Amino acid sequence: MANIIIVGAQWGDEGKGKIVDLLTEHADVVARFQGGHNAGHTVVIGDEQFILHLIPSGILHEGKTCLIGNGVVVDPAALIEEINSLRARGLNVNGRLFISDNAHLIMPYHVAIDKGAEKSKGKERIGTTGRGIGPCYVDKMARTGIRVGDLLRPGTFREKLRKNLKNINMLMQHIYHSEPFDTDEIFSAYMGYSEQLRPFIQDTEYLVSNYQEEGRNILLEGAQGTLLDVDHGTYPFVTSSSPTAGGACVGLGIGPTRISGVLGIIKAYTTRVGEGPFPTEQNNELGENLRAKGGEYGATTGRPRRCGWFDGVSARYAVRLNGLTGLAITKLDVLDELKEIKVCTSYTLDNKKIVSLPHDSAAIDVIEPVYETLPGWQESTVGITKFEDLPDNAKAYINYIEKLSGTPVNMVSTGQKRDEIIIRRNPFET
Ligand code: GDP
Ligand code: IMO
Ligand code: MG
């Protein structure tokens, strides 16, 4: 039995979907533990592309069980749409997708507050996905949230909704100057969702504990990334959950002693979507070229992703915070044409060298990255599956990142497709 956590080691979109899909072959169960449909996980199989938002990327493997854990926030309409779009493509989810009754529901007012708050922040906006994620987690922490299990208790659901709308509608009318929400309307829509989701709702913590007793392998699929973590990320330009490895235990109800390994997914360069500091950003022709070559547009919102060099300081930060046991470097092929490649090894602030990411976003905004320049390889690595077959300079680049981060590179991804991968160590086989 092995329980492996997959986390994003940067600002999200590292290619977690691809790696989760790949490792699902060795797992029995794939489980999401935080975030919501702000995530967009792309899996390319042959000529077909799938983008998963709420449902674990393991769903594409028939016969594998998928869980949406208690730490996830669920927009039922979005979930039903995702289930239907998978069904339309011939994938059966019945009897193998389960949603925690303790997961919190995203309500229409969460979306309105998310969008309203962003608008009123103006230039200081976070650049959220506008999916209602933050306000839903606010209600969870304020203990006024409505949970997936409440869908099965109409009386409780209605009463909680009625109480919440008393406050929410004051906010809507007096602060956002918009129409109030109607209890009956939301109640009836959510009872409709309840009918469709009823077969999927379960005590997933109990399921997880049974799977462990049966000795099954579980893959815990993180969304977002370390630098978007609400505690450890570039606050306040973060998401509202814990995408780091600790979040996996809380978000599924699995004890830390049960975790066998933590694989960090990291791009061979860096991207960020939304606002916030980004020390190695290349807001220039190079950044535009990376965006074009890497197809760096959000899988959820379609927004262009900001692009820059690999940041060794934040990589080390991700290694520490997650206790990473290995790295999977993705999108190596995107760097194929470059003559020279830079890697940030430290920063300077007020003429002083710093080797750890500052906690203050304003400081991260003004630090200067110190770069090491490595020679490019200027030949194609697309589809290479053996480390020995990589050009020497590409091998040297991987070795450099390995040394800088202090963590073994277990995998190198050389293209979008499932089989475009170098596997040096499979976390389920050790
Ligand atoms: P996630 O949110 O971490 O799952 O990542 P996204 O799916 O949002 O973004 C990663 C993008 O990179 C997707 O379009 C993937 O298909 C693509 N991708 C993943 N690995 C590779 C790779 O090694 N090379 C290339 N060229 N594309 C990749
Ligand atoms: P995956 O799982 C990249 C970013 C948003 C915004 C901030 C807060 O595909 O890697 P939110 O809607 O969560 O309140 O927005 O977080 N963000 C992501 N960026 N990948 C993601 O998910 C993201 N999910 C949220 O752009 O900056
Ligand atoms: Mg993504």
Side-chain angles (χ1 to χ4, degrees), residues 297-362:
Y297 293 88
T300 294
T301 58
R303 290 177 291 176
R305 294 174 184 151
R306 299 153 63 192
C307 298
W309 295 120
F310 187 89
D311 184 342
V313 183
S314 66
R316 283 196 300 264
Y317 186 58
V319 168
R320 297 204 294 276
L321 282 171
N322 295 295
L324 295 185
T325 50
L327 282 175
I329 297 181
T330 60
K331 306 190 92 159
L332 183 74
D333 54 295
V334 175
L335 304 181
D336 281 353
E337 282 152 29
L338 298 178
K339 210 168 160 200
E340 288 184 331
I341 302 170
K342 289 188 181 177
V343 174
C344 167
T345 53
S346 64
Y347 310 123
T348 50
L349 181 64
D350 300 330
N351 290 324
K352 281 196 208 97
K353 178 176 171 173
I354 41 175
V355 292
S356 183
L357 193 72
H359 284 174
D360 175 20
S361 267

Side-chain angles (χ1 to χ4, degrees), residues 24-180:
T24 298
E25 193 191 327
H26 308 276
D28 303 296
V29 179
V30 184
R32 273 280 304 270
F33 56 83
Q34 47 67 238
H37 66 313
N38 48 349
H41 296 176
T42 313
V43 180
V44 179
I45 306 166
D47 296 327
E48 273 205 275
Q49 175 172 281
F50 296 83
I51 298 178
L52 284 314
H53 298 285
L54 258 174
I55 298 177
S57 306
I59 201 77
L60 304 177
H61 293 248
E62 291 282 358
K64 304 284 170 158
T65 300
C66 287
L67 306 181
I68 296 179
N70 56 278
V72 176
V73 287
V74 177
D75 181 324
L79 177 58
I80 290 166
E81 197 186 315
E82 201 168 323
I83 291 173
N84 288 340
S85 77
L86 288 174
R87 282 179 176 152
R89 295 176 76 170
L91 276 148
N92 172 42
V93 299
N94 291 2
R96 64 188 194 97
L97 173 67
F98 301 109
I99 308 155
S100 168
D101 55 354
N102 275 352
H104 279 246
L105 286 169
I106 296 183
M107 306 297 291
Y109 46 85
H110 292 139
V111 179
I113 296 169
D114 190 0
K115 291 181 177 163
E118 282 284 277
K119 206 168 153 199
S120 68
K121 279 186 184 139
K123 271 186 162 168
E124 281 159 28
R125 70 185 183 278
I126 290 159
T128 71
T129 59
R131 300 292 194 267
I133 306 295
C136 183
Y137 280 113
V138 167
D139 275 0
K140 171 176 174 170
M141 291 305 172
R143 295 159 292 182
T144 53
I146 307 181
R147 302 199 285 186
V148 168
D150 293 328
L151 286 173
L152 307 178
R153 299 180 281 269
T156 309
F157 182 96
R158 198 186 166 89
E159 188 50 20
K160 285 188 177 181
L161 177 63
R162 188 189 63 78
K163 280 191 192 147
N164 284 354
L165 283 184
K166 256 170 74 180
N167 291 333
I168 299 287
N169 280 340
M170 282 204 287
L171 184 77
M172 286 298 134
Q173 287 175 287
H174 302 298
I175 307 287
Y176 294 134
H177 307 292
S178 62
E179 290 296 305

